[in-house]
Amino acid sequence: MSLLTGTLIALAKGALTSVIGPFVEEARDAALNAAQDTLRSTVAGKMSIEEWAGIVAEGADKVKERAVSEKGLCFVGGKVKLVMSEDTMDTVNVSFQLYFLDECEKWQMADADTNIPSSKFTVEALNELQSKGEITFEME
């Protein structure tokens, strides 16, 4: 298993530990499958910020779809965030947060984050991350 595969699987697993009840195992399988399918379809090597955000968003979308269709949660919004490590500049923290309301109008959140080696990003992506510090994409 490559470092990239392990990173995506860790991200998918981490997201699902925050989802409650029996939904956790089913959602974990869906997110892991989405991460593996995405990995197989991408070209190995360095990727842009948008490409990384797309990979993370695809896994988050699977979690969102299942939470809405199987648990009746109402999706309110979410975000994908990329942040350059301030300490070493060797990693980029990639995370997502999904926000839901349940039938009792209580907030529920599914989130995950993982560190990806800077070597997996293009030079342009790293320059943009260094200059902005944090890049966030809204999810609908």
Side-chain angles (χ1 to χ4, degrees):
M1 179 174 7
S2 75
L3 174 64
L4 185 56
T5 302
T7 300
L8 292 174
I9 289 172
L11 180 62
K13 283 183 181 177
L16 299 163
T17 59
S18 300
V19 180
I20 57 175
F23 176 61
V24 172
E25 288 303 317
E26 293 173 27
R28 176 175 293 151
D29 291 342
L32 289 174
N33 289 340
Q36 290 170 346
D37 290 346
T38 300
L39 186 69
R40 286 186 206 105
S41 67
T42 58
V43 177
K46 298 179 181 204
M47 293 190 285
S48 69
I49 290 168
E50 291 78 13
E51 288 169 320
W52 275 112
I55 289 170
V56 175
E58 185 174 325
D61 279 341
K62 297 291 184 190
V63 174
K64 177 180 80 171
E65 290 167 12
R66 293 183 68 109
V68 169
S69 68
E70 295 179 17
K71 290 299 172 188
L73 298 177
C74 178
F75 180 71
V76 177
K79 61 184 173 182
V80 172
K81 184 167 55 171
L82 294 91
V83 180
M84 176 68 77
S85 170
E86 292 180 17
D87 299 339
T88 63
M89 307 288 268
D90 290 342
T91 60
V92 175
N93 183 270
V94 179
S95 64
F96 72 82
Q97 297 82 36
L98 302 175
Y99 303 96
F100 303 90
L101 285 174
D102 65 17
E103 68 237 8
C104 298
E105 299 285 321
K106 291 185 180 179
W107 286 96
Q108 303 290 330
M109 181 178 79
D111 64 339
D113 74 297
T114 192
N115 290 318
I116 298 172
S118 298
S119 62
K120 298 296 180 182
F121 287 80
T122 63
V123 171
E124 295 81 12
L126 293 175
N127 289 339
E128 186 175 354
L129 280 165
Q130 287 174 343
S131 69
K132 293 182 179 178
E134 176 180 303
I135 298 174
T136 302
F137 296 90
E138 296 296 321
M139 294 184 64
E140 298 178 359

